[in-house]
Amino acid sequence: MSELPPLNKETIQAIIDEKIDDNTVNQLVWYYLGYRYDPTIDKWDASNVAPEWRDEYLEPPNFIEFRPPTVKLTRSIPKENKQLLKQKLGFKGYKIGEFTPVQARRATMANWLLSYMEISSR
């Protein structure tokens, strides 16, 4: 995995603004879910991944390309954190018909990362 940007509001905004490439966005979520890549054995280590993720995804899922893991990510955000993009970044959402599935998935990933930050700061 390449060097990841810091987990902060600027990075989250850059995800929404599509200034960070899809692969790096995936890697950020994988990292904070607990996935680690071991290049010496060319395998993913999921030992620090929560069982509800590890049992279904022994290797990190591609959130950008596939809807099911993104739905799971959405469902894992606590109810009180569902509107963090709006509350913390003033994100107004996308207009119907003017956004792509990839943009919607990136917004979900950004909100999950904000939720992770919120929970970790307690």
Side-chain angles (χ1 to χ4, degrees):
M1 285 189 0
S2 60
E3 189 166 323
L4 298 175
L7 185 57
N8 56 34
K9 287 182 183 178
E10 291 77 19
T11 297
I12 303 299
Q13 186 65 55
I15 292 170
I16 295 295
D17 295 341
E18 299 181 76
K19 293 180 179 173
I20 297 177
D21 67 271
D22 292 346
N23 190 44
T24 301
V25 179
N26 264 322
Q27 288 181 28
L28 270 168
V29 176
W30 297 342
Y31 182 84
Y32 290 104
L33 281 170
Y35 291 98
R36 299 295 183 272
Y37 183 73
D38 186 342
T40 59
I41 59 172
D42 193 30
K43 288 195 173 199
W44 285 96
D45 175 4
S47 59
N48 291 319
V49 176
E52 61 268 16
W53 282 96
R54 186 178 56 238
D55 293 349
E56 193 169 345
Y57 300 103
L58 195 53
E59 291 192 354
N62 187 327
F63 293 101
I64 296 291
E65 288 187 23
F66 302 107
R67 186 176 179 272
T70 308
V71 171
K72 184 176 181 75
L73 199 65
T74 300
R75 291 179 178 153
S76 73
I77 300 170
K79 185 177 182 177
E80 64 273 12
N81 292 351
K82 297 276 188 194
Q83 298 295 316
L84 286 178
L85 285 178
K86 184 186 294 184
Q87 295 166 353
K88 302 279 183 178
L89 298 178
F91 180 65
K92 298 192 186 329
Y94 300 110
K95 292 183 176 162
I96 300 294
E98 294 183 9
F99 67 97
T100 66
V102 168
Q103 287 173 312
R105 291 178 187 144
R106 289 172 70 92
T108 295
M109 296 164 77
N111 200 58
W112 185 87
L113 289 165
L114 267 178
S115 179
Y116 179 90
M117 287 172 51
E118 187 80 11
I119 292 166
S120 297
S121 71
R122 293 181 191 154

